[in-house]
Amino acid sequence: MTAQPATNEVISALNALYQGTSLEGREQANAWLEQFQKTTQAWTTADAILGSAELGLEPKLFAAQTLRNKIISDFGELGELGALSLRDSVVAHLRAARRGPQPLITQLCLALADLAVQLEAWTDPFGDMTRTFLSDPESVSCLLEFLAVLPEEALNERIILTPDFYAQRSSTLLTQRAGDLIQLLVQCLQQRDLKADAHTRVLVCFTSWLKNGEITLMMIQATPLIELSFAALKAEDSAVFETAVDAVCGIIFETQVDRDDDPNVVQAKEAAVEQQLVAQLTAVAALMRADAHVADGDEERIQGYCRVFTEAGEAWMYRIVHNIGVFEPLVAALVDCMRFENLDVI
């Protein structure tokens, strides 16, 4: 089977699946496509579909999803040279798709992240992707999307790795690059020629690495990323708000003092809490009380605010008890949270 006939068969099956009027025909098309994804021919056919200028979003999304699934399930079929060649091809497809649509960008970035996690010969994914996409304002969103999904794919349970290889690869991809990531995100915040949603994408990327445990308070204390996270709690968009909640909770978690912390680190954490975060949370409490979504009983919004104040209460309980004057606004916010009528929230 050559690439072109296979491509035509895939397009025909997709048309039958999405546009067919017969239930039996759609089920047959779906079964055929599922079987096709398991073949070795699927590698080249999916790549050909993604490289076609004539085909639309549906076949390209299918092709990107096919490559991602095969990278996870059938990575061994590629060999090192084949995997490196596929990487170059997917990067080219991502550059071509830099203006969107977003679902295609996301699927291509997931495929690249799954390659990065498994392909030891790809020695510097962070640096390579940064050099490829950072210089073009239209491409920066692709870079941020790749970096946002990378920590998540490193924990993808469908990717089977030995413990030693996972530890080595996780260190190469994430731990050794966390400082570089912070510099990159700050640089993106300072660029004025990026797309309007750039700050949101920076927040999503930052939150992903923060939740993965790669970022410490010391790395971000003197950056605008803390301010960005708190400011995003004002967003009307529920997805942005939820991401901001995750970010703020992650920042608060990083302020907890561990037994093994250096005295200078302990002092810096305490200063961050009392000089910066308490004031930020006082403003969040005022925002919660004035939020129209809260007044209307928006359960997800209410739960988001409660998560933030509960995280702070649990992280700083000892400090609150011994210095109630400083933390009184936080205690008042927790009391407000307990006044909500929704028992699930409470």
Side-chain angles (χ1 to χ4, degrees):
M1 185 189 295
T2 60
Q4 186 59 44
T7 300
N8 292 338
E9 286 188 63
V10 169
I11 301 305
S12 296
L14 287 170
N15 287 337
L17 178 64
Y18 293 120
Q19 301 172 19
T21 56
S22 164
L23 176 59
E24 182 180 358
R26 292 200 300 271
E27 290 177 345
Q28 289 176 349
N30 186 62
W32 186 89
L33 289 166
E34 287 180 351
Q35 287 301 312
F36 173 77
Q37 287 182 312
K38 298 175 183 178
T39 67
T40 56
Q41 179 70 29
W43 293 109
T44 54
T45 302
D47 187 47
I49 291 173
L50 286 166
S52 171
E54 291 78 26
L55 296 175
L57 175 60
E58 284 182 355
K60 289 192 175 185
L61 264 181
F62 172 79
Q65 290 165 350
T66 297
L67 284 183
R68 187 206 173 193
N69 287 333
K70 289 193 72 62
I71 289 167
I72 291 174
S73 303
D74 302 320
F75 179 74
E77 293 178 355
L78 290 170
E80 183 177 294
L81 292 179
L84 289 170
S85 177
L86 179 64
R87 174 204 61 185
D88 295 342
S89 187
V90 177
V91 167
H93 297 321
L94 182 59
R95 283 178 63 91
R98 64 188 179 279
R99 296 184 181 91
Q102 186 58 41
L104 180 57
I105 291 174
T106 298
Q107 287 300 319
L108 292 171
C109 286
L110 286 167
L112 282 169
D114 293 329
L115 264 177
V117 170
Q118 299 178 83
L119 182 54
E120 188 174 14
W122 191 1
T123 56
D124 187 15
F126 185 101
D128 291 343
M129 293 293 286
T130 299
R131 285 185 289 272
T132 300
F133 290 98
L134 186 59
S135 59
D136 176 13
E138 287 190 330
S139 300
V140 172
S141 60
C142 297
L143 173 62
L144 293 175
E145 182 72 9
F146 169 77
L147 293 174
V149 301
L150 185 59
E152 299 165 4
E153 292 310 294
L155 297 174
N156 190 331
E157 294 181 353
R158 292 173 59 199
I159 299 176
I160 308 301
L161 304 173
T162 65
D164 288 344
F165 183 81
Y166 171 78
Q168 175 264 322
R169 203 65 187 146
S170 180
S171 176
T172 299
L173 295 175
L174 303 172
T175 307
Q176 296 176 24
R177 285 299 198 169
D180 297 323
L181 176 86
I182 297 301
Q183 293 180 15
L184 171 66
L185 296 181
V186 172
Q187 180 180 342
C188 289
L189 290 176
Q190 295 169 344
Q191 285 187 243
R192 297 183 178 181
D193 55 351
L194 298 185
K195 293 181 180 179
D197 64 347
H199 283 201
T200 299
R201 297 194 180 283
V202 167
L203 178 66
V204 170
C205 185
F206 168 61
T207 305
S208 176
W209 284 61
L210 188 63
K211 289 167 67 176
N212 192 266
E214 300 298 340
I215 294 174
T216 68
L217 181 67
M218 301 301 103
M219 292 180 180
I220 60 173
Q221 194 167 359
T223 74
L225 293 168
I226 294 178
E227 181 68 33
L228 171 71
S229 302
F230 278 94
L233 291 172
K234 301 175 184 177
E236 290 291 320
D237 185 285
S238 60
V240 176
F241 176 80
E242 285 299 317
T243 301
V245 169
D246 287 340
V248 170
C249 288
I251 291 167
I252 292 169
F253 180 82
E254 288 298 325
T255 65
Q256 295 184 89
V257 175
D258 297 325
R259 292 180 179 178
D260 297 332
D261 279 345
D262 181 273
N264 292 330
V265 172
V266 173
Q267 186 176 5
K269 287 183 176 181
E270 292 177 346
V273 171
E274 297 186 12
Q275 297 174 16
Q276 188 173 12
L277 297 185
V278 170
Q280 293 275 19
L281 287 173
T282 301
V284 173
L287 182 66
M288 177 179 69
R289 295 177 187 119
D291 194 323
H293 297 284
V294 172
D296 291 339
D298 185 327
E299 186 172 318
E300 291 185 358
R301 200 83 171 186
I302 293 169
Q303 286 179 337
Y305 285 119
C306 289
R307 273 188 61 204
V308 168
F309 292 115
T310 301
E311 186 74 41
E314 291 177 348
W316 306 336
M317 183 169 60
Y318 179 86
R319 299 175 193 171
I320 293 171
V321 170
H322 288 83
N323 198 357
I324 188 64
V326 172
F327 292 96
E328 186 174 355
L330 174 58
V331 175
L334 285 165
V335 171
D336 285 343
C337 289
M338 288 184 279
R339 290 195 177 109
F340 289 125
E341 296 180 1
N342 189 315
L343 292 178
D344 289 337
V345 172
I346 295 174

